[in-house]
Amino acid sequence: MAKTESKGKAAGSALLPTVSPEKIVKGMTTIFQGFSIMFDGMAEQMQQMEGLAEQQISTESADKAADGQKEQADTAAGDSQMTEEELPFEAAPEDKKSTAAITVDDLLKVAAQKITMNRKNSPKIKALLTSYGCGAVSELPEDKREAFLNDLAQL
């Protein structure tokens, strides 16, 4: 048997093709131009978000200022009229109504969560709505929403 010899290093491994530096520079330039375009777009979005944030802050500060002026006027008028029965830390009936304002969206979110957790809750929710005399959550009167929410929580 005759011995065969390999023809040097080239026989076992492939040689890498030569690439011109111009092609590398063009490729890198294209990549960095893409990054530049992407960052420009992100900068525009950030400026829009800053504008929205500034609007929200200015609206909130205007609301707080108006509330502060109203509160000062109420305090000045209320100090002279406060009796022993009326304590400053008791909530007015208007405050109770504002905190109890449950929206249809709130009810829909809770119902959706219940159905997502267990599909068998869907007919139970429909039966609950029927017991309140409604076919849909949007038809539920405001005065029954809190009770409905409590019943939903029991499922």
PDB file of all heavy atoms in Angstrom, residues 74-114:
ATOM      1  N   ASP A  74     -63.038  77.579  51.153  1.00  0.00           N
ATOM      2  CA  ASP A  74     -63.925  76.734  51.958  1.00  0.00           C
ATOM      3  C   ASP A  74     -63.493  76.741  53.417  1.00  0.00           C
ATOM      4  O   ASP A  74     -64.326  76.770  54.324  1.00  0.00           O
ATOM      5  CB  ASP A  74     -63.927  75.295  51.422  1.00  0.00           C
ATOM      6  CG  ASP A  74     -64.633  75.173  50.082  1.00  0.00           C
ATOM      7  OD1 ASP A  74     -65.364  76.119  49.697  1.00  0.00           O
ATOM      8  OD2 ASP A  74     -64.456  74.130  49.408  1.00  0.00           O
ATOM      9  N   THR A  75     -62.191  76.703  53.650  1.00  0.00           N
ATOM     10  CA  THR A  75     -61.685  76.690  55.022  1.00  0.00           C
ATOM     11  C   THR A  75     -62.006  78.000  55.723  1.00  0.00           C
ATOM     12  O   THR A  75     -62.431  78.010  56.880  1.00  0.00           O
ATOM     13  CB  THR A  75     -60.163  76.453  55.029  1.00  0.00           C
ATOM     14  OG1 THR A  75     -59.890  75.241  54.340  1.00  0.00           O
ATOM     15  CG2 THR A  75     -59.630  76.376  56.431  1.00  0.00           C
ATOM     16  N   ALA A  76     -61.820  79.098  55.012  1.00  0.00           N
ATOM     17  CA  ALA A  76     -62.103  80.406  55.616  1.00  0.00           C
ATOM     18  C   ALA A  76     -63.582  80.536  55.947  1.00  0.00           C
ATOM     19  O   ALA A  76     -63.945  81.027  57.022  1.00  0.00           O
ATOM     20  CB  ALA A  76     -61.687  81.523  54.658  1.00  0.00           C
ATOM     21  N   ALA A  77     -64.440  80.053  55.074  1.00  0.00           N
ATOM     22  CA  ALA A  77     -65.879  80.131  55.323  1.00  0.00           C
ATOM     23  C   ALA A  77     -66.302  79.083  56.354  1.00  0.00           C
ATOM     24  O   ALA A  77     -67.195  79.321  57.156  1.00  0.00           O
ATOM     25  CB  ALA A  77     -66.654  79.928  54.027  1.00  0.00           C
ATOM     26  N   GLY A  78     -65.651  77.936  56.355  1.00  0.00           N
ATOM     27  CA  GLY A  78     -66.064  76.829  57.225  1.00  0.00           C
ATOM     28  C   GLY A  78     -65.599  76.989  58.649  1.00  0.00           C
ATOM     29  O   GLY A  78     -66.206  76.454  59.569  1.00  0.00           O
ATOM     30  N   ASP A  79     -64.500  77.694  58.887  1.00  0.00           N
ATOM     31  CA  ASP A  79     -63.996  77.856  60.242  1.00  0.00           C
ATOM     32  C   ASP A  79     -65.004  78.567  61.133  1.00  0.00           C
ATOM     33  O   ASP A  79     -65.169  78.220  62.299  1.00  0.00           O
ATOM     34  CB  ASP A  79     -62.675  78.638  60.239  1.00  0.00           C
ATOM     35  CG  ASP A  79     -61.516  77.786  59.749  1.00  0.00           C
ATOM     36  OD1 ASP A  79     -61.677  76.542  59.718  1.00  0.00           O
ATOM     37  OD2 ASP A  79     -60.466  78.365  59.391  1.00  0.00           O
ATOM     38  N   SER A  80     -65.663  79.538  60.589  1.00  0.00           N
ATOM     39  CA  SER A  80     -66.604  80.295  61.400  1.00  0.00           C
ATOM     40  C   SER A  80     -67.914  79.531  61.600  1.00  0.00           C
ATOM     41  O   SER A  80     -68.632  79.806  62.549  1.00  0.00           O
ATOM     42  CB  SER A  80     -66.883  81.651  60.743  1.00  0.00           C
ATOM     43  OG  SER A  80     -67.465  81.445  59.473  1.00  0.00           O
ATOM     44  N   GLN A  81     -68.200  78.561  60.747  1.00  0.00           N
ATOM     45  CA  GLN A  81     -69.479  77.857  60.826  1.00  0.00           C
ATOM     46  C   GLN A  81     -69.361  76.465  61.432  1.00  0.00           C
ATOM     47  O   GLN A  81     -70.363  75.777  61.573  1.00  0.00           O
ATOM     48  CB  GLN A  81     -70.084  77.728  59.420  1.00  0.00           C
ATOM     49  CG  GLN A  81     -70.399  79.071  58.788  1.00  0.00           C
ATOM     50  CD  GLN A  81     -70.873  78.908  57.353  1.00  0.00           C
ATOM     51  OE1 GLN A  81     -70.923  77.811  56.831  1.00  0.00           O
ATOM     52  NE2 GLN A  81     -71.226  80.009  56.734  1.00  0.00           N
ATOM     53  N   MET A  82     -68.174  76.002  61.798  1.00  0.00           N
ATOM     54  CA  MET A  82     -68.003  74.645  62.295  1.00  0.00           C
ATOM     55  C   MET A  82     -68.603  74.507  63.698  1.00  0.00           C
ATOM     56  O   MET A  82     -68.385  75.348  64.563  1.00  0.00           O
ATOM     57  CB  MET A  82     -66.519  74.273  62.336  1.00  0.00           C
ATOM     58  CG  MET A  82     -66.303  72.797  62.621  1.00  0.00           C
ATOM     59  SD  MET A  82     -64.569  72.330  62.631  1.00  0.00           S
ATOM     60  CE  MET A  82     -64.082  72.702  60.983  1.00  0.00           C
ATOM     61  N   THR A  83     -69.343  73.436  63.890  1.00  0.00           N
ATOM     62  CA  THR A  83     -69.948  73.168  65.196  1.00  0.00           C
ATOM     63  C   THR A  83     -69.218  72.011  65.850  1.00  0.00           C
ATOM     64  O   THR A  83     -68.370  71.374  65.239  1.00  0.00           O
ATOM     65  CB  THR A  83     -71.437  72.809  65.032  1.00  0.00           C
ATOM     66  OG1 THR A  83     -71.527  71.606  64.266  1.00  0.00           O
ATOM     67  CG2 THR A  83     -72.189  73.929  64.344  1.00  0.00           C
ATOM     68  N   GLU A  84     -69.593  71.710  67.076  1.00  0.00           N
ATOM     69  CA  GLU A  84     -68.952  70.605  67.779  1.00  0.00           C
ATOM     70  C   GLU A  84     -69.309  69.271  67.152  1.00  0.00           C
ATOM     71  O   GLU A  84     -68.532  68.334  67.192  1.00  0.00           O
ATOM     72  CB  GLU A  84     -69.378  70.618  69.253  1.00  0.00           C
ATOM     73  CG  GLU A  84     -68.808  71.783  70.035  1.00  0.00           C
ATOM     74  CD  GLU A  84     -69.221  71.723  71.488  1.00  0.00           C
ATOM     75  OE1 GLU A  84     -68.834  70.747  72.146  1.00  0.00           O
ATOM     76  OE2 GLU A  84     -69.932  72.628  71.929  1.00  0.00           O
ATOM     77  N   GLU A  85     -70.510  69.153  66.569  1.00  0.00           N
ATOM     78  CA  GLU A  85     -70.936  67.889  65.969  1.00  0.00           C
ATOM     79  C   GLU A  85     -70.188  67.615  64.658  1.00  0.00           C
ATOM     80  O   GLU A  85     -69.972  66.478  64.299  1.00  0.00           O
ATOM     81  CB  GLU A  85     -72.443  67.924  65.695  1.00  0.00           C
ATOM     82  CG  GLU A  85     -73.274  68.000  66.946  1.00  0.00           C
ATOM     83  CD  GLU A  85     -74.749  68.150  66.634  1.00  0.00           C
ATOM     84  OE1 GLU A  85     -75.131  67.976  65.463  1.00  0.00           O
ATOM     85  OE2 GLU A  85     -75.511  68.432  67.556  1.00  0.00           O
ATOM     86  N   GLU A  86     -69.810  68.636  63.961  1.00  0.00           N
ATOM     87  CA  GLU A  86     -69.153  68.490  62.661  1.00  0.00           C
ATOM     88  C   GLU A  86     -67.644  68.517  62.852  1.00  0.00           C
ATOM     89  O   GLU A  86     -67.048  69.551  63.111  1.00  0.00           O
ATOM     90  CB  GLU A  86     -69.586  69.640  61.747  1.00  0.00           C
ATOM     91  CG  GLU A  86     -69.084  69.502  60.346  1.00  0.00           C
ATOM     92  CD  GLU A  86     -69.544  70.655  59.484  1.00  0.00           C
ATOM     93  OE1 GLU A  86     -70.568  71.288  59.800  1.00  0.00           O
ATOM     94  OE2 GLU A  86     -68.871  70.925  58.500  1.00  0.00           O
ATOM     95  N   LEU A  87     -67.010  67.356  62.740  1.00  0.00           N
ATOM     96  CA  LEU A  87     -65.573  67.264  62.920  1.00  0.00           C
ATOM     97  C   LEU A  87     -64.881  67.408  61.564  1.00  0.00           C
ATOM     98  O   LEU A  87     -65.399  66.969  60.545  1.00  0.00           O
ATOM     99  CB  LEU A  87     -65.213  65.917  63.547  1.00  0.00           C
ATOM    100  CG  LEU A  87     -65.804  65.682  64.943  1.00  0.00           C
ATOM    101  CD1 LEU A  87     -65.479  64.284  65.411  1.00  0.00           C
ATOM    102  CD2 LEU A  87     -65.276  66.713  65.927  1.00  0.00           C
ATOM    103  N   PRO A  88     -63.704  67.991  61.517  1.00  0.00           N
ATOM    104  CA  PRO A  88     -63.041  68.242  60.241  1.00  0.00           C
ATOM    105  C   PRO A  88     -62.591  66.975  59.520  1.00  0.00           C
ATOM    106  O   PRO A  88     -62.404  66.989  58.330  1.00  0.00           O
ATOM    107  CB  PRO A  88     -61.830  69.099  60.619  1.00  0.00           C
ATOM    108  CG  PRO A  88     -61.617  68.878  62.058  1.00  0.00           C
ATOM    109  CD  PRO A  88     -62.954  68.530  62.636  1.00  0.00           C
ATOM    110  N   PHE A  89     -62.418  65.866  60.238  1.00  0.00           N
ATOM    111  CA  PHE A  89     -61.940  64.660  59.585  1.00  0.00           C
ATOM    112  C   PHE A  89     -63.064  63.759  59.093  1.00  0.00           C
ATOM    113  O   PHE A  89     -62.815  62.726  58.514  1.00  0.00           O
ATOM    114  CB  PHE A  89     -61.003  63.867  60.514  1.00  0.00           C
ATOM    115  CG  PHE A  89     -61.608  63.544  61.850  1.00  0.00           C
ATOM    116  CD1 PHE A  89     -62.406  62.441  62.018  1.00  0.00           C
ATOM    117  CD2 PHE A  89     -61.351  64.356  62.941  1.00  0.00           C
ATOM    118  CE1 PHE A  89     -62.955  62.151  63.248  1.00  0.00           C
ATOM    119  CE2 PHE A  89     -61.890  64.068  64.181  1.00  0.00           C
ATOM    120  CZ  PHE A  89     -62.704  62.966  64.341  1.00  0.00           C
ATOM    121  N   GLU A  90     -64.323  64.122  59.335  1.00  0.00           N
ATOM    122  CA  GLU A  90     -65.431  63.329  58.823  1.00  0.00           C
ATOM    123  C   GLU A  90     -65.630  63.625  57.349  1.00  0.00           C
ATOM    124  O   GLU A  90     -65.528  64.758  56.910  1.00  0.00           O
ATOM    125  CB  GLU A  90     -66.724  63.648  59.580  1.00  0.00           C
ATOM    126  CG  GLU A  90     -66.715  63.131  61.004  1.00  0.00           C
ATOM    127  CD  GLU A  90     -68.011  63.457  61.716  1.00  0.00           C
ATOM    128  OE1 GLU A  90     -68.910  64.055  61.108  1.00  0.00           O
ATOM    129  OE2 GLU A  90     -68.110  63.115  62.890  1.00  0.00           O
ATOM    130  N   ALA A  91     -65.920  62.594  56.589  1.00  0.00           N
ATOM    131  CA  ALA A  91     -66.112  62.765  55.150  1.00  0.00           C
ATOM    132  C   ALA A  91     -67.508  63.299  54.881  1.00  0.00           C
ATOM    133  O   ALA A  91     -68.485  62.885  55.499  1.00  0.00           O
ATOM    134  CB  ALA A  91     -65.924  61.433  54.432  1.00  0.00           C
ATOM    135  N   ALA A  92     -67.584  64.217  53.954  1.00  0.00           N
ATOM    136  CA  ALA A  92     -68.881  64.754  53.546  1.00  0.00           C
ATOM    137  C   ALA A  92     -69.580  63.723  52.662  1.00  0.00           C
ATOM    138  O   ALA A  92     -68.932  62.860  52.069  1.00  0.00           O
ATOM    139  CB  ALA A  92     -68.673  66.056  52.776  1.00  0.00           C
ATOM    140  N   PRO A  93     -70.906  63.777  52.564  1.00  0.00           N
ATOM    141  CA  PRO A  93     -71.616  62.815  51.718  1.00  0.00           C
ATOM    142  C   PRO A  93     -71.151  62.861  50.268  1.00  0.00           C
ATOM    143  O   PRO A  93     -71.142  61.856  49.590  1.00  0.00           O
ATOM    144  CB  PRO A  93     -73.085  63.238  51.831  1.00  0.00           C
ATOM    145  CG  PRO A  93     -73.165  64.101  53.042  1.00  0.00           C
ATOM    146  CD  PRO A  93     -71.802  64.644  53.272  1.00  0.00           C
ATOM    147  N   GLU A  94     -70.720  64.004  49.782  1.00  0.00           N
ATOM    148  CA  GLU A  94     -70.252  64.112  48.404  1.00  0.00           C
ATOM    149  C   GLU A  94     -68.979  63.297  48.205  1.00  0.00           C
ATOM    150  O   GLU A  94     -68.789  62.697  47.165  1.00  0.00           O
ATOM    151  CB  GLU A  94     -69.982  65.579  48.061  1.00  0.00           C
ATOM    152  CG  GLU A  94     -71.227  66.429  48.138  1.00  0.00           C
ATOM    153  CD  GLU A  94     -70.889  67.888  48.308  1.00  0.00           C
ATOM    154  OE1 GLU A  94     -69.727  68.252  48.506  1.00  0.00           O
ATOM    155  OE2 GLU A  94     -71.837  68.682  48.268  1.00  0.00           O
ATOM    156  N   ASP A  95     -68.110  63.246  49.227  1.00  0.00           N
ATOM    157  CA  ASP A  95     -66.881  62.474  49.125  1.00  0.00           C
ATOM    158  C   ASP A  95     -67.187  60.984  49.008  1.00  0.00           C
ATOM    159  O   ASP A  95     -66.514  60.260  48.300  1.00  0.00           O
ATOM    160  CB  ASP A  95     -65.987  62.713  50.332  1.00  0.00           C
ATOM    161  CG  ASP A  95     -65.442  64.136  50.370  1.00  0.00           C
ATOM    162  OD1 ASP A  95     -65.410  64.791  49.321  1.00  0.00           O
ATOM    163  OD2 ASP A  95     -65.054  64.564  51.470  1.00  0.00           O
ATOM    164  N   LYS A  96     -68.185  60.515  49.716  1.00  0.00           N
ATOM    165  CA  LYS A  96     -68.555  59.107  49.652  1.00  0.00           C
ATOM    166  C   LYS A  96     -69.029  58.737  48.259  1.00  0.00           C
ATOM    167  O   LYS A  96     -68.725  57.673  47.749  1.00  0.00           O
ATOM    168  CB  LYS A  96     -69.646  58.785  50.685  1.00  0.00           C
ATOM    169  CG  LYS A  96     -69.152  58.865  52.117  1.00  0.00           C
ATOM    170  CD  LYS A  96     -70.264  58.561  53.085  1.00  0.00           C
ATOM    171  CE  LYS A  96     -69.791  58.721  54.523  1.00  0.00           C
ATOM    172  NZ  LYS A  96     -70.862  58.514  55.479  1.00  0.00           N
ATOM    173  N   LYS A  97     -69.788  59.593  47.616  1.00  0.00           N
ATOM    174  CA  LYS A  97     -70.277  59.305  46.270  1.00  0.00           C
ATOM    175  C   LYS A  97     -69.130  59.264  45.279  1.00  0.00           C
ATOM    176  O   LYS A  97     -69.105  58.426  44.389  1.00  0.00           O
ATOM    177  CB  LYS A  97     -71.301  60.364  45.837  1.00  0.00           C
ATOM    178  CG  LYS A  97     -72.617  60.245  46.558  1.00  0.00           C
ATOM    179  CD  LYS A  97     -73.588  61.299  46.059  1.00  0.00           C
ATOM    180  CE  LYS A  97     -74.899  61.233  46.837  1.00  0.00           C
ATOM    181  NZ  LYS A  97     -75.819  62.283  46.407  1.00  0.00           N
ATOM    182  N   SER A  98     -68.156  60.169  45.403  1.00  0.00           N
ATOM    183  CA  SER A  98     -67.056  60.202  44.446  1.00  0.00           C
ATOM    184  C   SER A  98     -66.159  58.976  44.582  1.00  0.00           C
ATOM    185  O   SER A  98     -65.637  58.483  43.605  1.00  0.00           O
ATOM    186  CB  SER A  98     -66.245  61.475  44.601  1.00  0.00           C
ATOM    187  OG  SER A  98     -65.620  61.501  45.858  1.00  0.00           O
ATOM    188  N   THR A  99     -65.960  58.470  45.812  1.00  0.00           N
ATOM    189  CA  THR A  99     -65.125  57.287  45.975  1.00  0.00           C
ATOM    190  C   THR A  99     -65.858  56.026  45.562  1.00  0.00           C
ATOM    191  O   THR A  99     -65.238  55.047  45.200  1.00  0.00           O
ATOM    192  CB  THR A  99     -64.649  57.146  47.427  1.00  0.00           C
ATOM    193  OG1 THR A  99     -65.787  57.073  48.293  1.00  0.00           O
ATOM    194  CG2 THR A  99     -63.758  58.298  47.826  1.00  0.00           C
ATOM    195  N   ALA A 100     -67.182  56.040  45.608  1.00  0.00           N
ATOM    196  CA  ALA A 100     -67.949  54.854  45.265  1.00  0.00           C
ATOM    197  C   ALA A 100     -68.278  54.795  43.785  1.00  0.00           C
ATOM    198  O   ALA A 100     -68.984  53.906  43.355  1.00  0.00           O
ATOM    199  CB  ALA A 100     -69.238  54.817  46.078  1.00  0.00           C
ATOM    200  N   ALA A 101     -67.776  55.725  42.995  1.00  0.00           N
ATOM    201  CA  ALA A 101     -68.061  55.744  41.569  1.00  0.00           C
ATOM    202  C   ALA A 101     -67.304  54.615  40.882  1.00  0.00           C
ATOM    203  O   ALA A 101     -66.109  54.699  40.654  1.00  0.00           O
ATOM    204  CB  ALA A 101     -67.687  57.083  40.963  1.00  0.00           C
ATOM    205  N   ILE A 102     -68.000  53.553  40.594  1.00  0.00           N
ATOM    206  CA  ILE A 102     -67.422  52.401  39.906  1.00  0.00           C
ATOM    207  C   ILE A 102     -67.875  52.474  38.462  1.00  0.00           C
ATOM    208  O   ILE A 102     -69.067  52.530  38.182  1.00  0.00           O
ATOM    209  CB  ILE A 102     -67.882  51.084  40.559  1.00  0.00           C
ATOM    210  CG1 ILE A 102     -67.405  51.036  42.014  1.00  0.00           C
ATOM    211  CG2 ILE A 102     -67.353  49.893  39.780  1.00  0.00           C
ATOM    212  CD1 ILE A 102     -67.967  49.886  42.802  1.00  0.00           C
ATOM    213  N   THR A 103     -66.926  52.463  37.555  1.00  0.00           N
ATOM    214  CA  THR A 103     -67.263  52.584  36.145  1.00  0.00           C
ATOM    215  C   THR A 103     -67.559  51.221  35.536  1.00  0.00           C
ATOM    216  O   THR A 103     -67.212  50.177  36.101  1.00  0.00           O
ATOM    217  CB  THR A 103     -66.114  53.243  35.366  1.00  0.00           C
ATOM    218  OG1 THR A 103     -64.968  52.384  35.417  1.00  0.00           O
ATOM    219  CG2 THR A 103     -65.757  54.606  35.943  1.00  0.00           C
ATOM    220  N   VAL A 104     -68.177  51.276  34.375  1.00  0.00           N
ATOM    221  CA  VAL A 104     -68.476  50.049  33.642  1.00  0.00           C
ATOM    222  C   VAL A 104     -67.169  49.366  33.245  1.00  0.00           C
ATOM    223  O   VAL A 104     -67.061  48.133  33.285  1.00  0.00           O
ATOM    224  CB  VAL A 104     -69.346  50.361  32.398  1.00  0.00           C
ATOM    225  CG1 VAL A 104     -69.533  49.136  31.535  1.00  0.00           C
ATOM    226  CG2 VAL A 104     -70.695  50.910  32.826  1.00  0.00           C
ATOM    227  N   ASP A 105     -66.156  50.164  32.909  1.00  0.00           N
ATOM    228  CA  ASP A 105     -64.858  49.594  32.545  1.00  0.00           C
ATOM    229  C   ASP A 105     -64.244  48.805  33.698  1.00  0.00           C
ATOM    230  O   ASP A 105     -63.658  47.741  33.479  1.00  0.00           O
ATOM    231  CB  ASP A 105     -63.885  50.697  32.112  1.00  0.00           C
ATOM    232  CG  ASP A 105     -64.239  51.280  30.759  1.00  0.00           C
ATOM    233  OD1 ASP A 105     -64.927  50.598  29.981  1.00  0.00           O
ATOM    234  OD2 ASP A 105     -63.827  52.424  30.494  1.00  0.00           O
ATOM    235  N   ASP A 106     -64.389  49.311  34.914  1.00  0.00           N
ATOM    236  CA  ASP A 106     -63.875  48.597  36.080  1.00  0.00           C
ATOM    237  C   ASP A 106     -64.548  47.233  36.213  1.00  0.00           C
ATOM    238  O   ASP A 106     -63.899  46.221  36.452  1.00  0.00           O
ATOM    239  CB  ASP A 106     -64.100  49.398  37.359  1.00  0.00           C
ATOM    240  CG  ASP A 106     -63.326  50.702  37.393  1.00  0.00           C
ATOM    241  OD1 ASP A 106     -62.300  50.805  36.697  1.00  0.00           O
ATOM    242  OD2 ASP A 106     -63.767  51.624  38.114  1.00  0.00           O
ATOM    243  N   LEU A 107     -65.857  47.229  36.046  1.00  0.00           N
ATOM    244  CA  LEU A 107     -66.605  45.979  36.158  1.00  0.00           C
ATOM    245  C   LEU A 107     -66.212  45.010  35.047  1.00  0.00           C
ATOM    246  O   LEU A 107     -66.059  43.803  35.288  1.00  0.00           O
ATOM    247  CB  LEU A 107     -68.111  46.254  36.103  1.00  0.00           C
ATOM    248  CG  LEU A 107     -68.686  47.060  37.273  1.00  0.00           C
ATOM    249  CD1 LEU A 107     -70.151  47.374  37.031  1.00  0.00           C
ATOM    250  CD2 LEU A 107     -68.517  46.312  38.579  1.00  0.00           C
ATOM    251  N   LEU A 108     -66.038  45.533  33.842  1.00  0.00           N
ATOM    252  CA  LEU A 108     -65.659  44.678  32.717  1.00  0.00           C
ATOM    253  C   LEU A 108     -64.274  44.066  32.930  1.00  0.00           C
ATOM    254  O   LEU A 108     -64.053  42.890  32.602  1.00  0.00           O
ATOM    255  CB  LEU A 108     -65.692  45.471  31.413  1.00  0.00           C
ATOM    256  CG  LEU A 108     -67.084  45.831  30.891  1.00  0.00           C
ATOM    257  CD1 LEU A 108     -66.978  46.762  29.696  1.00  0.00           C
ATOM    258  CD2 LEU A 108     -67.865  44.586  30.521  1.00  0.00           C
ATOM    259  N   LYS A 109     -63.351  44.828  33.491  1.00  0.00           N
ATOM    260  CA  LYS A 109     -62.007  44.311  33.753  1.00  0.00           C
ATOM    261  C   LYS A 109     -62.053  43.166  34.752  1.00  0.00           C
ATOM    262  O   LYS A 109     -61.414  42.134  34.567  1.00  0.00           O
ATOM    263  CB  LYS A 109     -61.095  45.420  34.273  1.00  0.00           C
ATOM    264  CG  LYS A 109     -60.671  46.399  33.214  1.00  0.00           C
ATOM    265  CD  LYS A 109     -59.822  47.500  33.810  1.00  0.00           C
ATOM    266  CE  LYS A 109     -59.515  48.573  32.785  1.00  0.00           C
ATOM    267  NZ  LYS A 109     -58.764  49.695  33.372  1.00  0.00           N
ATOM    268  N   VAL A 110     -62.820  43.366  35.817  1.00  0.00           N
ATOM    269  CA  VAL A 110     -62.912  42.327  36.852  1.00  0.00           C
ATOM    270  C   VAL A 110     -63.582  41.077  36.276  1.00  0.00           C
ATOM    271  O   VAL A 110     -63.127  39.952  36.506  1.00  0.00           O
ATOM    272  CB  VAL A 110     -63.679  42.847  38.091  1.00  0.00           C
ATOM    273  CG1 VAL A 110     -63.924  41.735  39.084  1.00  0.00           C
ATOM    274  CG2 VAL A 110     -62.910  43.975  38.743  1.00  0.00           C
ATOM    275  N   ALA A 111     -64.651  41.276  35.499  1.00  0.00           N
ATOM    276  CA  ALA A 111     -65.340  40.140  34.898  1.00  0.00           C
ATOM    277  C   ALA A 111     -64.419  39.397  33.938  1.00  0.00           C
ATOM    278  O   ALA A 111     -64.391  38.155  33.918  1.00  0.00           O
ATOM    279  CB  ALA A 111     -66.606  40.612  34.176  1.00  0.00           C
ATOM    280  N   ALA A 112     -63.655  40.133  33.149  1.00  0.00           N
ATOM    281  CA  ALA A 112     -62.725  39.501  32.210  1.00  0.00           C
ATOM    282  C   ALA A 112     -61.656  38.697  32.948  1.00  0.00           C
ATOM    283  O   ALA A 112     -61.275  37.600  32.522  1.00  0.00           O
ATOM    284  CB  ALA A 112     -62.079  40.553  31.324  1.00  0.00           C
ATOM    285  N   GLN A 113     -61.176  39.229  34.065  1.00  0.00           N
ATOM    286  CA  GLN A 113     -60.183  38.503  34.853  1.00  0.00           C
ATOM    287  C   GLN A 113     -60.763  37.207  35.395  1.00  0.00           C
ATOM    288  O   GLN A 113     -60.104  36.168  35.398  1.00  0.00           O
ATOM    289  CB  GLN A 113     -59.681  39.363  36.001  1.00  0.00           C
ATOM    290  CG  GLN A 113     -58.770  40.482  35.571  1.00  0.00           C
ATOM    291  CD  GLN A 113     -58.421  41.416  36.725  1.00  0.00           C
ATOM    292  OE1 GLN A 113     -59.024  41.353  37.795  1.00  0.00           O
ATOM    293  NE2 GLN A 113     -57.462  42.297  36.500  1.00  0.00           N
ATOM    294  N   LYS A 114     -62.007  37.281  35.860  1.00  0.00           N
ATOM    295  CA  LYS A 114     -62.653  36.078  36.396  1.00  0.00           C
ATOM    296  C   LYS A 114     -62.824  35.018  35.317  1.00  0.00           C
ATOM    297  O   LYS A 114     -62.612  33.832  35.557  1.00  0.00           O
ATOM    298  CB  LYS A 114     -64.020  36.424  37.008  1.00  0.00           C
ATOM    299  CG  LYS A 114     -63.936  37.269  38.260  1.00  0.00           C
ATOM    300  CD  LYS A 114     -63.340  36.480  39.396  1.00  0.00           C
ATOM    301  CE  LYS A 114     -63.330  37.283  40.673  1.00  0.00           C
ATOM    302  NZ  LYS A 114     -62.818  36.531  41.802  1.00  0.00           N
TER     303      LYS A 114
END
